[in-house]
Amino acid sequence: MSSPKEIQQSNEAWGSRIGLILAMAGNAVGLGNFLRFPAQAAQNGGGSFMIPYFIAFLLLGIPLMWIEWGIGRNGGRFRKGHIPGMFAAIWKHPAAKYLGVVGLVIPLVVLSYYTVLMSWTLAFTWFSLTGGYWGNTTQEAMSAYLTSYQMIGDDSVHSNWLPFLFYVLSLGSTIFVLSKGISGGIEKLAKIGMPILFLFAVILAVRVFFLGAGENGVSPIQGFQFIYNPDLSRLGEASVWLAAAGQIFFTLSVGMGTLQTYASYLSTKDDIALSGIATAATNETAEVVLGGSIAIPAAVAFFGVSGAMAVAQSGSFNIGFVSMPIVFQGMPAGQLFGAMWFALLFFAGITSSVAMATPIVAFFREEFGYRRETVSWIVGGVAFAFGLLTIFWLQHGMLDEWDFWAGTFGLAVMAFIEVILFMWIFKPENAWRSLHQGADIRIPTIFKFIMTYVTPLYLGAVLVAWLIQDAVPTLLLERAAPGTEFYVQASRLLIVGIIVFFLVMIRLAWKRNGYDDRVGFREVEDTPLGAPTYATEVNR
Amino acid sequence: MSTGALIFMLLSWTFVLGLVSWSFAKILRGQRHFDPDGIGPASPPVPGAAEDPRR
């Protein structure tokens, strides 16, 4: 057996509990909190959307959050920071590890295009500071400015190398943080990035609140009316409930495999029940209180209610990259507020992108013994190659295709698998006991029932609805733009290739380390994992 | 802004701000873990407040 010192060298740990919660919340808080939520609320019944939204939060979001923390920490008992190992630790069956392949494929695929989106926010931070888009004061002009940067429009506005420069900077900073490890990189980033994100969001929300009525004579207060005005007749529509469940699902970053990896660096002496709630609550504050107070109220003040409705329906990215820059051009010190807005989105993005790469790094470190730095830069290289393809094939639908299969449908599949494994195969009693080890709060017993029966049924219903409504038509290319079929199919083939690659790597890892699926892993004892891991903050 | 919209907004904000305040207040009050050298605790950790001693 390895000595504690050797094991400590090979393991990672969180430096403080606040650092852990900020990193978890940083993982969850992303572009969707500030762009997707207000648009979804406005489109789906306003205030009455909040009823299914909070019901989904209680029945789907919080239970899944606890389940993922529980699966992760249970995996950590066997020093498994990756989903194949975590699933195998729960279910002693040869199939368990292969089911876990989703927890490696989804983060890699999403990381590949997410860093491209992140690079847009970094570029627009720069364009805001330098006044690059100043003068483009109509939706059409600003849209042309954006598409030129994305290399799908008029190429005379931006140099061709610019998108690549910002992409390299974004991905490079992600991989740099990742290569510094959990407490040395990810936790430090969260401790710096999350307070900045919240500070910028509060400043922007206050600024928007005091904007005053625009040319249309509409004040930003009407924006809150636009988001929260209850249309109770919409409560009877299944699509509203589905939209609310989807928003909760995406906003909390469940089904990605990242929360589990972060939680695997905790011991059974550490609380996960209260920390899980704190993470979810931090994310909800960023979404409901701050996310709902910036983009839509600003759009209402500048474009009027009907203009804001058109903006909301034009998609989340148009709100962020087309409408908001127009708003900033119309306000005093707009360059500074514009830079704050895009820097906020960049911090929301980078705290999520480092999390996406973590499960893959953990897999190769733990199973093949590679150094963290080496694996981090290799993962970065692979993501770079796929990211370049995303940039070149943006107009051919690659990003949409990958986002649907990995970033939307894949998440629901992964979440469904883990609910069944944790609550039904691991058994509710074991799951409940596991969640309460080291707990600072006692979870209300009703949640045992909810997590065993309600959450899987709710999730199953959402999955079936998405399958019928979106997955089948997408698979049959019914939604592919004419002329993009080849690229869409090639994008799918790449995902299949990534799945096959990871299946082979899982097989090799199990063979190399001599794991017996029916016996399970040996529990790590007398190691830092047996002691509280976020323990040094009292001393700081 | 209509009364209905104001009520829904205030209820939503109160719920999330209440939840985040409650959870962080509990976390900041209960710093029971202490591990000065990062290797292990000087004394056995105190059981979690919600842990059932019979289990």
Side-chain angles (χ1 to χ4, degrees), chain A residues 375-388:
Chain A
V375 190
S376 299
W377 288 105
I378 291 174
V379 170
V382 173
F384 178 71
F386 289 142
L388 284 185

Side-chain angles (χ1 to χ4, degrees), chain A residues 225 269 438 440-441 535 537, chain B residues 2 24 31-33 35 50-51:
Chain A
Q225 163 83 11
K269 303 291 189 293
D440 284 341
I441 56 165
E537 66 185 334
Chain B
S2 69
F24 275 96
Q31 300 281 10
R32 63 190 171 82
H33 297 306
D35 180 17
E51 263 183 299

